Amino acid sequence: MEEARDLILSHISPLPPREFLLPEAVGLVLAEDAVATSPIPAHDNCAVDGYAVRWRDVEGASPGAPARLRWIGDLPAGKSPELSLREGEAIRVGTGAPTPPGADTVVPVEDTRLEGVEVLVLRDPGEGANIRRAGEDVREGEVVLRAGRLLWGPDLGILAAIGKWRVLARPRPRVAILSTGDEVVEPWEEMGPGKVRDANSYMLAALVAEAGGVPIRLGISPDRNEPLEELLKRGLGAGDAVIASGGVSMGAHDLMKEVLSGAGELRLWQVAMQPGRPLAFATASGKPVFGLPGNPVAVFVSFHVFVLPALWRMAGREGSPWRRVRLPLAEPVRRKPGRAYFLRAKLIDTPGGAALTLTGPQGSGILSSCVAADAIIVVPPERTVLEAGAEVEAWLLPPSQVRVARRPVSLPA
Ligand code: AMP
Ligand code: MG
């Protein structure tokens, strides 16, 4: 399984970066260092509504012995100071207003009383209080975000704050998804005898979107070469990667291997794992093509084991999509040797702490075993006998994700 994953990843590269407007960049990986060309705040400014003063004039003020200052004018946010402050004077300021020259402290309005043109300061706020210094958040020349950063809310805030409204980032991987099988029908279609509804492509489209990709559903191909080749070709045209499901086993109607070999280079077939054994991986037109098995549980597992790390790499993300935990099994598990098992499990509370229990029958057609799952237990090939209480590695579900990007709000003209 690990060998297969390494082989697949060796054929995956990060998508080339391009320029994005800021609102489109959420969920993308930054491909450049973002450097502040000016400080934040740009100038010293007032942190509260109140009166800019010289601290020495209000030192020791109290309700019983207020300091009395002369109100000489107003400075709201967004205006540049016209007045400078001299001894015994106060300028009424708004939050965000530049600190008037001569002032070193701002007294919050609630600690003052205005009587005519006299400001009574009822409390000493302390020297330098309520002044925000230029550059105290970000210094000029500082790298605020490094290349490789997955952009989220505060990142976009700070990019906007440094005036960076276009960023170089890696695009979301576009992933074409197709289903195969003479028996597979769309969910709204008549079932008919022997038919099965296409669970896979809807599941895959959702998983791709949650992983930060753009899913492109191509539909269903019957088990015949020409339509399958045609759909694959469309997928290669539309996507940065293609995911197909079904038709990779050893049945007479399993054409995927042949079609993949025809369209490109078949790199891999069959992995020592369960579910997901008959996985095929190819490259065609320079793009990765995943031939996942048809069973929905195998699709779910092999997406997480192989496709998700590939999408991460294409998106330029670092690290692992997995939040791994080691927890005891609540029940014994027996497996055959020679292959890795991926069991779907629920997290439960026990008197001894958190534990994992299987989500019922684990057959590869039992999609409800995935619906109920909080985690995927990874059982390595050599562990065939697991007693209750044995520690196992599990991957928490859902993996670290980027939620589907909403349509970006538009920039003002
Ligand atoms: P295959 O890998 O094509 O032999 O398919 C294995 C099993 O998965 C068969 O029982 C198929 O009917 C089922 N299957 C294949 N594709 C889908 C799909 N898109 N949605 C649900 N089940 C499927
Ligand atoms: Mg099939």
Side-chain angles (χ1 to χ4, degrees):
M1 181 271 287
E2 269 144 21
E3 217 180 306
R5 186 163 49 193
D6 290 348
L7 185 140
I8 289 171
L9 288 177
S10 75
H11 289 285
I12 308 283
S13 345
L15 295 175
R18 55 184 179 82
E19 207 163 57
F20 288 88
L21 294 180
L22 212 40
E24 301 169 334
V26 64
L28 303 185
V29 173
L30 191 63
E32 60 179 337
D33 289 347
V35 180
T37 52
S38 54
I40 310 175
H43 45 72
D44 288 2
N45 70 93
C46 305
V48 294
D49 294 325
Y51 290 88
V53 301
R54 292 157 37 117
W55 175 67
R56 244 166 321 149
D57 292 343
V58 302
E59 187 180 353
S62 68
R68 291 170 182 274
L69 303 175
R70 203 149 46 79
W71 173 32
I72 60 163
D74 284 349
L75 182 61
K79 291 275 183 306
S80 59
E82 283 162 6
L83 294 169
S84 28
L85 200 80
R86 284 166 308 180
E87 199 178 332
E89 295 177 341
I91 293 176
R92 188 161 62 185
V93 292
T95 304
T99 312
D104 58 16
T105 299
V106 177
V107 184
V109 70
E110 52 273 30
D111 293 339
T112 65
R113 198 163 69 234
L114 190 61
E115 290 181 354
V117 294
E118 204 172 45
V119 183
L120 276 63
V121 172
L122 309 172
R123 191 163 292 126
D124 174 356
E127 187 174 9
N130 303 311
I131 299 216
R132 300 189 283 217
R133 300 287 168 200
E136 73 174 21
D137 186 359
V138 174
R139 281 166 291 108
E140 185 176 337
E142 189 176 329
V143 176
V144 296
L145 295 169
R146 297 245 169 237
R149 170 84 177 187
L150 177 69
L151 297 172
W152 75 301
D155 303 347
L156 267 68
I158 210 156
L159 288 168
I162 65 169
K164 195 149 175 62
W165 59 279
R166 289 178 304 185
V167 291
L168 201 62
R170 296 192 193 276
R172 295 172 177 277
R174 296 155 53 86
V175 183
I177 297 162
L178 62 106
S179 296
T180 72
D182 288 337
E183 76 282 29
V184 183
V185 298
E186 290 286 359
W188 56 86
E189 282 174 351
E190 200 65 52
M191 275 288 277
K195 300 290 184 191
V196 58
R197 296 194 184 97
D198 179 10
N200 291 348
S201 72
Y202 290 93
M203 169 164 58
L204 283 168
L207 291 171
V208 164
E210 292 224 72
V214 181
I216 304 166
R217 273 195 71 252
L218 295 178
I220 304 161
S221 169
D223 289 317
R224 281 189 291 114
N225 284 57
E226 307 79 65
L228 189 50
E229 284 160 7
E230 178 55 32
L231 216 52
L232 177 62
K233 207 169 106 192
R234 276 175 41 203
L236 289 167
D240 303 307
V242 180
I243 312 176
S245 68
V248 281
S249 314
M250 297 201 273
H253 299 281
D254 290 331
L255 308 169
M256 190 55 79
K257 263 189 354 163
E258 187 186 326
V259 167
L260 291 178
S261 302
E265 206 80 45
L266 185 67
R267 307 278 179 184
L268 163 76
W269 181 55
Q270 293 196 324
V271 184
M273 64 188 276
Q274 195 165 317
R277 194 171 97 95
L279 176 107
F281 175 75
T283 50
S285 310
K287 295 172 180 180
V289 184
F290 296 87
L292 307 187
N295 279 307
V297 177
V299 167
F300 179 78
V301 165
S302 43
F303 174 87
H304 285 103
V305 176
F306 301 110
V307 184
L308 182 60
L311 293 182
W312 267 52
R313 179 163 290 185
M314 292 172 83
R317 292 184 73 174
E318 288 156 6
S320 156
W322 293 112
R323 296 176 291 148
R324 288 167 214 266
V325 292
R326 289 193 68 80
L327 287 173
L329 274 172
E331 69 211 70
V333 170
R334 301 273 181 279
R335 295 290 133 176
K336 291 191 211 121
R339 61 189 87 164
Y341 280 86
F342 294 85
L343 308 172
R344 281 78 61 212
K346 282 187 81 61
L347 278 171
I348 54 166
D349 279 325
T350 71
L356 292 161
T357 185
L358 301 189
T359 55
Q362 297 286 300
S364 55
I366 313 276
L367 188 51
S368 46
S369 71
C370 303
V371 175
D374 302 314
I376 297 175
I377 297 175
V378 186
V379 184
E382 63 281 4
R383 287 187 84 179
T384 53
V385 180
L386 296 159
E387 300 302 347
E391 274 215 344
V392 289
E393 179 184 316
W395 300 345
L396 294 183
L397 293 171
S400 306
Q401 295 169 325
V402 183
R403 295 276 167 194
V404 188
R406 302 267 168 265
R407 281 251 120 232
V409 289
S410 54
L411 285 177

